[in-house]
Amino acid sequence: METFSANVRMYEADDDLVARCEEADDLGEVWDEYDDEMGGDYTHEFDVISPQDDGLLTVTDEEGEDILSTELSEVPFESSEDEGETIEEGRYLVKVYHQENVMLEGDMEIEGDFSPEKLYFSTAPALQGIDALNEGPLADPRNLMYKGQEDDCVGLDYLEDEGESEEVLLLELDGDGNWTCLKSSEE
């Protein structure tokens, strides 16, 4: 699978961190300093793609023959029984790495004939509404799902990407699940 993708890393922002962000000219510098202090122990981390991605999904059989090639926009994004990680309301210092031409690959053994309509991406509703992520429903690219299988998750692994840009944001999540950007900077 090839897609544009993003890695989202979050630190919960207490009053001290919020004050540091508000005083700083560059949130990227605040991120770097705080990341060093915390040792990369993120409050949350997600790898995401959105239905707006211009990516291509290719499914091959065990002999390596293509049996499906389709745009990501043709694969539904759905909630599964496991809604995924939730995020508590509050303020967060967030770094979004926008990755280009990401290549992902994974394997799954399917019983019976392959049915393209059974493929879907499991959504991560907690990330909906973050402007830096196109405001669409978002999925963890490691969670390509196949309905009706006991083990229905295809574990997709990163093969490569051709570069990235970064955004650092101070965001607030309210009790209704709405994100507000308090401050941002692009790197």
Side-chain angles (χ1 to χ4, degrees), residues 17-35 93-96 166-170 182-187:
L17 182 54
V18 170
R20 287 167 63 178
C21 291
E22 289 172 346
E23 293 168 7
D25 292 329
D26 181 7
L27 282 182
E29 291 176 9
V30 175
W31 174 273
D32 292 341
E33 291 169 7
Y34 196 73
D35 197 38
L93 182 61
V94 178
K95 189 167 205 173
V96 178
E166 301 172 355
E167 280 182 87
V168 181
L169 311 127
L170 180 61
L182 304 175
K183 189 171 184 177
S184 67
S185 64
E186 235 177 273
E187 295 180 11

Coordinates of all heavy atoms in Angstrom, one line a residue, residues 17-35 93-96 166-170 182-187:
L17 N 3.6 23.7 31.0 CA 3.9 23.5 29.6 C 3.1 24.4 28.7 O 3.6 25.0 27.8 CB 3.7 22.0 29.2 CG 4.0 21.6 27.8 CD1 5.4 22.0 27.4 CD2 3.7 20.1 27.5
V18 N 1.9 24.6 29.1 CA 1.0 25.6 28.3 C 1.7 27.0 28.4 O 1.8 27.7 27.4 CB -0.4 25.6 28.9 CG1 -1.2 26.8 28.2 CG2 -1.1 24.3 28.5
A19 N 2.1 27.4 29.6 CA 2.8 28.7 29.7 C 4.0 28.8 28.9 O 4.3 29.8 28.2 CB 3.1 29.0 31.2
R20 N 4.8 27.7 28.8 CA 6.1 27.7 28.0 C 5.7 27.8 26.5 O 6.4 28.6 25.8 CB 6.8 26.4 28.2 CG 7.5 26.3 29.5 CD 8.0 24.9 29.9 NE 9.0 24.4 29.0 CZ 9.6 23.2 29.1 NH1 9.3 22.4 30.2 NH2 10.5 22.7 28.3
C21 N 4.6 27.2 26.1 CA 4.2 27.3 24.7 C 3.7 28.7 24.4 O 4.0 29.2 23.3 CB 3.0 26.3 24.4 SG 3.6 24.6 24.5
E22 N 2.9 29.3 25.3 CA 2.4 30.6 25.0 C 3.5 31.7 25.0 O 3.4 32.6 24.2 CB 1.4 31.0 26.1 CG 0.1 30.2 26.0 CD -0.9 30.4 27.1 OE1 -0.5 30.9 28.2 OE2 -2.0 30.0 27.0
E23 N 4.6 31.5 25.7 CA 5.7 32.5 25.7 C 6.7 32.3 24.6 O 7.4 33.2 24.2 CB 6.5 32.3 27.1 CG 5.7 32.8 28.3 CD 6.3 32.4 29.6 OE1 7.5 31.9 29.6 OE2 5.7 32.6 30.6
A24 N 6.7 31.1 24.0 CA 7.7 30.7 23.0 C 7.3 31.4 21.6 O 6.2 31.5 21.2 CB 7.8 29.2 22.8
D25 N 8.4 31.7 20.9 CA 8.2 32.1 19.5 C 8.0 31.0 18.5 O 7.4 31.1 17.5 CB 9.4 33.0 19.0 CG 9.5 34.3 19.8 OD1 8.4 34.9 20.1 OD2 10.6 34.8 20.0
D26 N 8.6 29.8 18.9 CA 8.6 28.7 18.1 C 8.3 27.4 18.9 O 9.0 27.0 19.7 CB 10.0 28.5 17.4 CG 10.1 27.3 16.5 OD1 9.1 26.7 16.2 OD2 11.2 27.0 16.1
L27 N 7.1 26.9 18.6 CA 6.7 25.7 19.3 C 7.6 24.5 19.1 O 7.6 23.6 19.9 CB 5.2 25.3 18.9 CG 4.1 26.1 19.6 CD1 2.7 25.6 19.1 CD2 4.2 26.1 21.1
G28 N 8.2 24.5 17.9 CA 9.2 23.4 17.6 C 10.3 23.3 18.6 O 10.7 22.2 19.0
E29 N 10.8 24.4 19.1 CA 11.8 24.4 20.1 C 11.3 23.9 21.4 O 12.0 23.2 22.1 CB 12.4 25.9 20.2 CG 13.2 26.3 19.0 CD 13.7 27.7 19.1 OE1 13.6 28.3 20.2 OE2 14.2 28.2 18.1
V30 N 10.1 24.4 21.8 CA 9.4 23.9 23.0 C 9.3 22.3 22.9 O 9.6 21.6 23.9 CB 8.1 24.5 23.2 CG1 7.4 23.9 24.5 CG2 8.2 26.0 23.4
W31 N 8.8 21.9 21.8 CA 8.7 20.4 21.6 C 10.0 19.7 21.8 O 10.1 18.7 22.6 CB 8.1 20.1 20.2 CG 8.1 18.6 20.0 CD1 9.1 17.8 19.5 CD2 7.1 17.7 20.3 NE1 8.8 16.5 19.5 CE2 7.5 16.4 20.0 CE3 5.8 17.9 20.8 CZ2 6.7 15.3 20.2 CZ3 5.0 16.7 21.0 CH2 5.4 15.5 20.7
D32 N 11.1 20.2 21.2 CA 12.4 19.5 21.3 C 12.9 19.5 22.7 O 13.3 18.4 23.2 CB 13.4 20.2 20.4 CG 13.1 20.0 18.9 OD1 12.4 19.1 18.5 OD2 13.6 20.8 18.1
E33 N 12.7 20.6 23.4 CA 13.2 20.6 24.8 C 12.3 19.7 25.7 O 12.9 18.9 26.5 CB 13.0 22.1 25.4 CG 14.0 23.0 24.8 CD 13.7 24.5 25.1 OE1 12.8 24.7 26.0 OE2 14.3 25.4 24.6
Y34 N 11.0 19.7 25.5 CA 10.1 18.9 26.3 C 10.3 17.4 26.0 O 10.3 16.6 26.9 CB 8.7 19.3 26.2 CG 7.8 18.8 27.3 CD1 7.8 19.3 28.5 CD2 6.9 17.7 27.0 CE1 7.0 18.8 29.6 CE2 6.1 17.2 28.0 CZ 6.2 17.8 29.3 OH 5.3 17.3 30.3
D35 N 10.5 17.1 24.7 CA 10.7 15.8 24.3 C 12.0 15.2 24.9 O 12.0 14.0 25.3 CB 10.8 15.7 22.7 CG 10.6 14.3 22.2 OD1 9.8 13.6 22.7 OD2 11.3 14.0 21.2
L93 N 0.3 19.1 23.8 CA 1.4 19.6 22.8 C 1.5 18.4 21.9 O 1.8 17.3 22.2 CB 2.7 19.9 23.6 CG 3.8 20.4 22.7 CD1 3.4 21.7 22.0 CD2 5.1 20.5 23.5
V94 N 1.3 18.8 20.6 CA 1.2 17.7 19.6 C 2.2 18.0 18.4 O 2.3 19.1 18.0 CB -0.3 17.7 19.0 CG1 -0.4 16.7 17.9 CG2 -1.3 17.5 20.1
K95 N 2.8 16.9 18.0 CA 3.7 17.0 16.8 C 3.1 16.1 15.7 O 2.9 14.9 16.0 CB 5.1 16.7 17.1 CG 6.1 17.0 16.0 CD 7.5 16.9 16.4 CE 8.4 17.8 15.5 NZ 9.8 17.9 16.0
V96 N 2.9 16.7 14.6 CA 2.4 15.9 13.4 C 3.5 15.8 12.4 O 3.9 16.8 11.9 CB 1.1 16.5 12.8 CG1 0.6 15.7 11.6 CG2 0.0 16.7 13.9
E166 N 6.8 18.8 9.3 CA 6.3 18.7 10.7 C 5.5 19.9 11.1 O 5.8 21.0 10.6 CB 7.5 18.6 11.6 CG 8.4 17.4 11.3 CD 9.7 17.4 12.1 OE1 9.9 18.3 12.9 OE2 10.4 16.4 12.0
E167 N 4.5 19.7 11.9 CA 3.8 20.8 12.5 C 3.7 20.5 14.0 O 3.6 19.4 14.4 CB 2.3 20.8 12.0 CG 2.1 21.4 10.7 CD 0.6 21.4 10.3 OE1 -0.1 22.4 10.7 OE2 0.2 20.5 9.6
V168 N 3.9 21.6 14.8 CA 3.8 21.4 16.2 C 2.6 22.3 16.6 O 2.5 23.5 16.2 CB 5.1 21.9 17.0 CG1 4.9 21.7 18.5 CG2 6.2 21.0 16.5
L169 N 1.7 21.8 17.5 CA 0.5 22.4 17.8 C 0.2 22.3 19.3 O 0.5 21.3 19.9 CB -0.7 21.8 17.1 CG -0.6 21.6 15.6 CD1 -0.9 20.2 15.2 CD2 -1.5 22.5 14.8
L170 N -0.4 23.4 19.9 CA -0.9 23.3 21.2 C -2.4 23.2 21.0 O -3.0 24.2 20.5 CB -0.5 24.6 22.0 CG -1.1 24.6 23.5 CD1 -0.5 23.4 24.3 CD2 -0.7 25.9 24.1
L182 N -4.8 26.2 19.9 CA -4.5 27.4 20.7 C -3.2 28.1 20.1 O -3.1 29.3 20.3 CB -4.2 27.0 22.2 CG -5.3 26.2 22.9 CD1 -4.9 25.7 24.2 CD2 -6.6 27.1 22.9
K183 N -2.3 27.3 19.5 CA -1.1 27.9 18.9 C -0.5 26.8 18.0 O -0.6 25.6 18.2 CB -0.1 28.3 20.0 CG 1.1 29.1 19.5 CD 1.9 29.6 20.6 CE 3.0 30.5 20.1 NZ 3.8 31.1 21.2
S184 N 0.1 27.2 16.9 CA 0.8 26.3 16.0 C 2.0 26.9 15.4 O 2.2 28.1 15.3 CB -0.2 25.8 14.9 OG -0.5 26.9 14.1
S185 N 2.9 26.0 14.9 CA 4.1 26.4 14.1 C 4.4 25.2 13.2 O 4.3 24.1 13.6 CB 5.2 26.8 15.0 OG 5.7 25.7 15.8
E186 N 4.9 25.6 12.0 CA 5.3 24.6 11.0 C 6.8 24.6 10.9 O 7.4 25.6 11.0 CB 4.7 24.9 9.7 CG 3.9 23.8 9.1 CD 3.2 24.2 7.8 OE1 2.1 24.7 7.8 OE2 3.9 23.9 6.8
E187 N 7.4 23.4 10.7 CA 8.8 23.3 10.5 C 9.1 22.8 9.1 O 8.3 22.1 8.5 CB 9.4 22.2 11.5 CG 9.2 22.7 13.0 CD 9.8 21.7 14.0 OE1 10.5 20.8 13.5 OE2 9.6 21.9 15.1

